[in-house]
């Protein structure tokens, strides 16, 4: 369910059925990102929220960070020509790969340039594909196949990084 945030920075959702839900926040300004999600005392490391039948209401807390990094750069092919329309995915390292909100996306423009904002601090690999199946990057086996073709990046709080990325051609 999509909900708005009240002026006191709170929100409520009534009548939630038992099940598994994903927590997402859209329309974040500038370099903001989801820093932490908790349901009651539980940290939701993978971003999924389990609502059990008959469970008492617990508070869902979504903490935002405003110190996200920015990455700008260019995408090129093997002869080093700039490439428009490449699909870029910034893939987090380690345990954060199970948190879909930690991934960031962009597409290169007609000049082959891109910009990614609101990147949570941490270690990443940046990939650029000529063609990419939707959400394939969330599959660990898919990423493992291309792991050595990603550009490693370390993003610090408020970092501004420039990167050149070689596009992975369609097979």
């Amino acid at each position: 369910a999509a909900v708005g945030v009240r002026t006191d920075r709170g929100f409520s959702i009534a009548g939630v059925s038992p099940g598994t839900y994903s927590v997402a926040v859209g329309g974040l300004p500038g370099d903001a990102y989801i820093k932490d999600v908790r349901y009651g005392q539980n940290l939701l490391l993978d971003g999924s929220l389990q609502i059990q039948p008959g469970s008492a209401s617990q508070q869902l807390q979504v903490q935002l960070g405003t110190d996200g990094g920015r990455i700008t750069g260019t995408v090129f092919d093997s002869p080093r020509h700039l490439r428009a329309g490449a699909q870029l995915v910034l893939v987090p390292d380690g345990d954060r790969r199970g948190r879909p909100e930690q991934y960031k996306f962009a597409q290169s423009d007609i000049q082959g340039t891109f910009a990614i904002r609101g990147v949570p601090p941490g270690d990443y690999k940046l990939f650029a594909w000529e063609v990419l199946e939707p959400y394939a990057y969330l599959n660990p086996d898919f990423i493992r196949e291309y792991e050595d073709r990603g550009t490693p990046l370390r993003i610090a709080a408020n970092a501004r990084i420039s990167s050149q990325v070689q596009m992975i051609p369609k097979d």
Side-chain angles (χ1 to χ4, degrees), residues 5 33 46-47 55 58-59 75 92 116 125 128 130 137 146 149 166:
V5 178
Y33 60 93
D46 66 354
S55 64
Q58 295 190 45
Q59 189 173 31
V75 178
I116 302 173
K125 284 199 176 173
E130 183 176 18
Y137 52 84
Y146 296 100
R149 303 197 53 195
Q166 185 168 357

Side-chain angles (χ1 to χ4, degrees), residues 43-124:
L43 179 61
L44 305 181
L45 294 175
D46 66 354
S48 64
L49 172 61
Q50 299 274 338
I51 304 293
Q52 303 296 330
S55 64
S57 294
Q58 295 190 45
Q59 189 173 31
L60 176 66
Q61 296 177 332
V62 179
Q63 181 181 9
L64 302 179
T66 58
D67 60 351
R70 295 181 191 180
I71 304 166
T72 58
T74 54
V75 178
F76 61 91
D77 59 18
S78 58
R80 305 246 351 138
H81 296 117
L82 294 176
R83 290 301 302 253
Q87 298 175 50
L88 291 106
V89 180
L90 187 63
V91 177
D93 276 351
D95 294 338
R96 294 182 312 127
R97 285 202 176 170
R99 296 180 59 188
E101 84 282 357
Q102 295 283 308
Y103 291 71
K104 297 292 179 178
F105 319 94
Q107 186 168 4
S108 59
D109 65 17
I110 197 161
Q111 287 89 25
T113 64
F114 68 91
I116 302 173
R117 295 185 65 180
V119 179
D123 293 324
Y124 295 86

Side-chain angles (χ1 to χ4, degrees), residues 9 19-20 25 42 50 74 83-84 98-99 107 110 126 140 142 155 163 165-167 170:
R9 298 187 300 179
T20 302
V25 178
N42 299 319
Q50 299 274 338
T74 54
R83 290 301 302 253
R99 296 180 59 188
Q107 186 168 4
I110 197 161
L126 181 59
F142 176 82
I155 308 300
S163 182
V165 185
Q166 185 168 357
M167 184 184 69
K170 66 181 179 181

